[in-house]
Amino acid sequence: TTTVYDVKRMLEGIMKRVPDDQRLYKLTKDQPLLMEDSKPLSEYGYTHMTARAQLPETIGLAFRVGDRDEFE
């Protein structure tokens, strides 16, 4: 089962930003939901049935700004 942290590691290889400098969000109608590193993607509704190459799902991504604890 793929975790949120696993996705951050994949993004690290592409974006060259360490997982601690990334935040992933489940995009909802009300407001973005911060996804926890240790949880599997399935807990946020991302499964092989809902997210695949032919029908991708969107995950929000924010990066840490400088040395502060702010993300954008």
Side-chain angles (χ1 to χ4, degrees), residues 42-62:
S42 60
E43 283 198 29
Y44 295 101
Y46 299 110
T47 68
H48 71 282
M49 296 298 290
T50 63
R52 52 187 191 270
Q54 301 86 349
L55 186 64
E57 284 279 345
T58 301
I59 296 176
L61 170 64

Side-chain angles (χ1 to χ4, degrees), residues 1 5 44 65:
T1 302
Y5 187 77
Y44 295 101
V65 178

Side-chain angles (χ1 to χ4, degrees), residues 4-35:
V4 172
Y5 187 77
D6 294 334
V7 173
K8 287 182 172 186
R9 292 297 309 263
M10 290 178 217
L11 289 168
E12 179 182 19
I14 298 166
M15 307 298 291
K16 307 304 182 211
R17 301 286 296 265
V18 296
D20 286 344
D21 288 345
Q22 303 173 35
R23 285 199 175 158
L24 297 181
Y25 295 89
K26 165 83 173 165
L27 302 178
T28 65
K29 292 179 183 174
D30 298 326
Q31 65 181 7
L33 173 67
L34 179 61
M35 298 168 69

